[in-house]
Amino acid sequence: MDNQHQILVVTPISTRGRDIRTWLSAAGYWVTLASSFPAAKQYLLASPTVLITDLKLGEYNGLHLAVRAATSHTAVLIVSEPNHAVEREAEKLGASYLSTAELTRERILAFVESRLPLNRLAEDGDARVEWTDR
């Protein structure tokens, strides 16, 4: 898969970040990994296609990032321990929620695929568009 979609993954948990980055990179995505809210805030300026973030990010949280991402129409997935209140808050902000108990390669890839723009060409490669600047 040749994919130009930028995905920002924010987690202070190094093993979780490494796993998600590995899953997405193997599927052909360009992944940026941030471990803190301040770093994520800077990376959000690039308007990634998808933001996957832990809820707990020190004195801030993933919901704060969801608010910031809404202005650039970035799809957001909040990951946390099972918590119905967080799930409701995420939905109010237009974000999705995934409990850590459900965090798998398949769930992450399904979320990303479901949020990509629908204007992609046929997956089989039959349709090609060549752009020229005149």
Side-chain angles (χ1 to χ4, degrees):
M1 176 188 306
D2 181 21
N3 217 320
Q4 298 304 312
H5 298 286
Q6 171 64 34
I7 300 170
L8 175 58
V9 177
V10 185
T11 178
I13 303 169
S14 61
T15 55
R16 181 176 297 157
R18 185 180 61 240
D19 288 347
I20 294 172
R21 182 177 54 199
T22 298
W23 300 336
L24 293 170
S25 295
Y29 294 104
W30 178 25
V31 180
T32 300
L33 186 59
S35 61
S36 68
F37 179 86
K41 192 169 86 169
Q42 289 301 309
Y43 287 122
L44 275 177
L45 296 175
S47 299
T49 307
V50 176
L51 165 65
I52 300 171
T53 181
D54 278 1
L55 174 66
K56 295 182 180 181
L57 299 173
E59 59 192 57
Y60 295 96
N61 65 50
L63 295 172
H64 291 109
L65 290 176
V67 169
R68 291 176 177 275
T71 61
S72 63
H73 306 289
T74 297
V76 179
L77 178 64
I78 306 289
V79 177
S80 83
E81 296 299 320
N83 185 321
H84 293 295
V86 171
E87 185 173 5
R88 284 191 301 276
E89 286 302 311
E91 289 173 4
K92 286 181 188 176
L93 295 172
S96 297
Y97 170 84
L98 184 66
S99 80
T100 53
E102 301 172 313
L103 185 62
T104 64
R105 177 187 174 279
E106 292 76 22
R107 295 293 297 264
I108 293 295
L109 290 173
F111 174 79
V112 169
E113 283 293 318
S114 72
R115 297 316 190 274
L116 296 180
L118 298 177
N119 61 354
R120 293 183 296 160
L121 298 175
E123 291 286 334
D124 61 7
D126 289 340
R128 299 274 185 220
V129 175
E130 187 173 319
W131 294 94
T132 58
D133 201 11
R134 295 180 193 215

